[in-house]
Amino acid sequence: MWSLRVREGVADDQQALIPAGELIETLRSSPPSTPESALGAEVLALRGWAEDQAEQRALADRDDAPSHTERAWAQVSIPVRECLGAQRCPYGAECFVERSRDVARAADLVVTNHALLAINAMHGGTALPEHDAVIIDEAHELVSRVTGAASAELSPQTVERVARRAQTYLEGETAQELLETAKTLRNALDGGALERVEDPDSAFVAACAAVRDASRAVVSALASGDSQTPDRRQAAAAVKEIFDIAERMAALDSHDVVWIADRERFGREARVSPLSVAGLMRSRIFNDHTAVLTSATLKLGGDFAAIATNVGLKVEERLGTVQRSDDRGQQEAVDDDLEDRGVPWRGLDVGSPFEYQRQGILYVARSLPPPGRDGLPEASLAEIAELVAASDGRALGLFSSRKAAEAAAVYSRKRLPNLTILCQGDAQLAELTRRFIADERASLFGTLSLWQGVDVPGATCQLVIIDRIPFPRPDEPLTVARQRAVTEAGGNGFMKIAASHAALLLAQGSGRLIRRLTDRGVVAVLDPRLVTARYGAFLKASMPDMWQTTDRQVAVQALQRLSAQS
């Protein structure tokens, strides 16, 4: 994190970044409630924290920093592409990142995250020290994290920002031409459809080519100047990043998916993601190192095949596979194909300490109508309120959208005025979770971040409500492209992509209920397709093996008994 911007307040965004002196003056003169003074307070706190950590020669981590917003963090940090490196940066000797790398090089064990593992794979092993083995915890998230690390966005605002920054160091029309391409890109985005771009003759591709060519010229001009100051080199790195993204998008490579997306606040932008990351992981992670992937939800549909294929360990066909089990019920799958069909791998299910059949009930609301596009129907809202009442609060609601969560919260508050219904968006998620844990009779409704990120054992959570099977949006360009690629290769695109995605989330979501040996409760899925659709068996096989029922009264009475005992 340590950079010129911590010490000198170098500003690359004339609209978003504020010089340090102005921040201090704003903080002194503005009422504490203004956004500007709040930003100033955050930045000053971050700078003070950074100075303290530097004096102590500590390995500072953002998670330990004072509470802050993304805008404040942008004042004191730089993107990785703008990093000058320890040799060229005047503060290289003090840099937290460089210091952590020095420590890691001498370590026997390095603890990192999925994103840095992905960056290390993409950049030839330069981000992490040499290592013999890698252990990947929460490996069910690996594909999405690697995909995120290998993805990029390009917006008119970003082009404008780096062009104006380059103008500080350049004379003439070079930077102005890059600034003009931001208008061209905006027009192309506004005139294009919100879908994947596949036409090489489209206005969008032409706009990306214009950004590419103009940014190349700016990078060359910045590199040829006599005064190569650190901030000038950082500006060149920012423009180089724009060049790389625009070049990638203009190429429309068959291994990439490029599409136009609409943002809630800032208009449209272009996005690019790899069609698959299996090859990257296979060649850059698993081929070179012994790897152990661990998670409670690596078996989808009852075996490891889906996950193994997604991470590049094997291909669709299970050629040379042997299934066997031992006396303890553990299962192994060994892929013996050592050539082009992946790498040797072994899947081991060590079971669970929980007795799901005795501790939990899976209730599927078969009598409800299938979910549609118009939000939760009245019948589903009424059933949510009935289940929450039976549990006397103590419910975690996992919803497919913020709109659905809010609708359920509003309805339940009206029907159950004596219970506390918390909803994501009412406050920071950490605060809501704290209140949920502290008040046993409180319920918490929310979206994706709750499906995997909440660990609440005990009587606080005796009911988990899932409003619908969490399939990805059918019009999401990356999902559509990946399904089509599987189908064109002769596979089942829906099952491989959409159903596997839903199975993973269902496994994670239903796993919120039983967190210790004494936990009891009900998982209520309000989507009848879990028992009526052909793919339902695959999805249920991915969830904890609880006792199952489609009888509402069985679920209600079980919840009432549990609440009476609490």
Side-chain angles (χ1 to χ4, degrees):
M1 185 212 75
W2 190 271
S3 71
L4 291 171
R5 200 167 293 154
V6 175
R7 284 282 175 82
E8 301 176 3
V10 175
D12 73 335
D13 182 348
Q14 297 179 10
Q15 296 176 344
L17 298 183
I18 305 172
E22 291 183 22
L23 277 172
I24 296 171
E25 187 60 34
T26 298
L27 184 59
R28 289 172 177 166
S29 61
S30 300
S33 60
T34 65
E36 291 80 7
S37 65
L39 175 64
E42 290 181 7
V43 170
L44 292 179
L46 285 170
R47 284 184 171 152
W49 169 78
E51 293 286 358
D52 290 343
Q53 300 300 306
E55 289 179 6
Q56 299 170 23
R57 295 197 59 79
L59 292 177
D61 190 280
R62 182 179 178 180
D63 290 341
D64 301 324
S67 178
H68 59 274
T69 60
E70 288 294 331
R71 192 178 178 208
W73 188 256
Q75 291 282 154
V76 299
S77 64
I78 59 171
V80 66
R81 288 293 299 271
E82 296 180 33
C83 176
L84 301 176
Q87 300 302 317
R88 294 192 295 172
C89 179
Y91 301 113
E94 304 170 71
C95 176
F96 297 144
V97 174
E98 290 298 332
R99 191 178 302 156
S100 69
R101 287 173 177 166
D102 288 341
V103 173
R105 291 185 188 103
D108 295 318
L109 177 66
V110 176
V111 179
T112 183
N113 57 28
H114 292 172
L116 192 57
L117 182 67
I119 292 170
N120 188 67
M122 291 187 296
H123 296 282
T126 57
L128 295 174
E130 291 186 7
H131 51 279
D132 299 319
V134 57
I135 300 174
I136 304 172
D137 193 21
E138 301 295 345
H140 62 275
E141 297 182 352
L142 186 59
V143 171
S144 63
R145 295 289 176 82
V146 175
T147 297
S151 300
E153 302 81 33
L154 185 65
S155 70
Q157 293 92 336
T158 304
V159 177
E160 289 174 353
R161 199 157 52 234
V162 299
R164 294 189 187 281
R165 185 176 179 184
Q167 281 182 322
T168 306
Y169 311 101
L170 296 178
E171 297 180 357
E173 300 181 354
T174 305
Q176 182 62 34
E177 290 176 358
L178 179 58
L179 188 61
E180 290 297 323
T181 64
K183 300 178 183 178
T184 304
L185 179 62
R186 178 176 286 107
N187 292 336
L189 291 171
D190 290 343
L194 295 173
E195 60 187 19
R196 184 180 184 183
V197 179
E198 298 183 271
D199 181 6
D201 298 321
S202 66
F204 168 77
V205 172
C208 288
V211 174
R212 176 199 63 201
D213 295 342
S215 57
R216 180 193 289 118
V218 171
V219 170
S220 178
L222 287 170
S224 63
D226 294 331
S227 176
Q228 288 298 313
T229 59
D231 52 335
R232 182 185 179 112
R233 289 198 294 268
Q234 284 186 332
V239 180
K240 178 61 164 56
E241 184 171 17
I242 293 298
F243 166 78
D244 289 340
I245 297 171
E247 182 179 47
R248 181 181 176 188
M249 289 183 173
L252 289 186
D253 190 282
S254 60
H255 296 98
D256 275 335
V257 180
V258 180
W259 74 97
I260 298 174
D262 201 4
R263 297 172 294 173
E264 187 173 333
R265 292 181 56 192
F266 301 109
R268 294 185 171 190
E269 69 175 4
R271 299 174 184 171
V272 58
S273 292
L275 184 62
S276 171
V277 294
L280 173 66
M281 289 187 286
R282 179 173 59 248
S283 62
R284 303 291 180 85
I285 298 177
F286 303 128
N287 266 350
D288 297 332
H289 309 94
T290 297
V292 178
L293 284 71
T294 71
S295 171
T297 50
L298 283 180
K299 292 180 71 173
L300 300 181
D303 67 27
F304 297 101
I307 293 290
T309 302
N310 288 343
V311 301
L313 293 177
K314 66 182 297 297
V315 294
E316 289 289 340
E317 301 85 353
R318 293 185 59 78
L319 298 179
T321 296
V322 178
Q323 298 281 353
R324 61 179 181 266
S325 62
D326 61 21
D327 293 337
R328 292 175 297 172
Q330 297 176 346
Q331 295 182 351
E332 291 184 337
V334 182
D335 192 315
D336 297 322
D337 194 343
L338 305 182
E339 300 181 356
D340 298 331
R341 317 203 70 80
V343 297
W345 66 278
R346 173 177 297 176
L348 176 63
D349 181 355
V350 299
S352 169
F354 305 130
E355 298 181 52
Y356 287 114
Q357 285 277 332
R358 185 176 62 85
Q359 292 182 249
I361 295 174
L362 172 61
Y363 160 60
V364 183
R366 183 168 187 157
S367 61
L368 289 178
R373 297 183 178 181
D374 299 326
L376 288 171
E378 179 77 16
S380 296
L381 292 171
E383 184 138 340
I384 290 171
E386 182 180 3
L387 291 167
V388 171
S391 67
D392 196 27
R394 302 182 175 89
L396 177 65
L398 305 178
F399 294 86
S400 54
S401 69
R402 178 71 67 88
K403 181 180 178 181
E406 291 172 349
V410 169
Y411 187 94
S412 297
R413 285 165 181 162
K414 290 180 179 179
R415 290 282 299 272
L416 308 169
N418 296 324
L419 294 177
T420 300
I421 308 294
L422 307 172
C423 186
Q424 190 173 353
D426 293 344
Q428 292 294 318
L429 189 57
E431 170 64 16
L432 292 174
T433 304
R434 186 191 64 76
R435 292 167 59 187
F436 178 51
I437 294 171
D439 183 356
E440 280 194 359
R441 298 182 68 240
S443 296
L444 175 58
F445 294 174
T447 55
L448 187 61
S449 56
L450 295 181
W451 287 73
Q452 303 182 71
V454 174
D455 186 7
V456 186
T460 294
C461 182
Q462 295 181 336
L463 168 65
V464 172
I465 299 172
I466 297 175
D467 70 325
R468 65 189 297 163
I469 297 172
F471 290 119
R473 286 183 50 175
D475 59 348
E476 200 279 317
L478 184 57
T479 298
V480 172
R482 286 178 168 176
Q483 287 189 189
R484 189 176 75 181
V486 172
T487 301
E488 290 176 350
N492 187 323
F494 171 77
M495 292 300 296
K496 173 72 164 48
I497 304 299
S500 292
H501 173 92
L504 182 56
L505 283 178
L506 282 173
Q508 287 287 311
S510 56
R512 300 307 93 195
L513 181 68
I514 306 298
R515 309 301 295 173
R516 63 185 184 187
L517 294 173
T518 56
D519 287 347
R520 304 286 187 277
V522 174
V523 173
V525 180
L526 307 185
D527 190 336
R529 294 176 296 176
L530 191 61
V531 292
T532 61
R534 292 180 61 185
Y535 51 76
F538 172 80
L539 299 178
K540 285 192 295 181
S542 307
M543 302 169 68
D545 185 26
M546 299 178 184
W547 187 81
Q548 300 178 24
T549 182
T550 58
D551 189 327
R552 181 192 303 126
Q553 287 307 308
V554 170
V556 167
Q557 290 168 9
L559 290 168
Q560 289 172 338
R561 288 193 298 271
L562 284 174
S563 64
Q565 296 168 9
S566 299

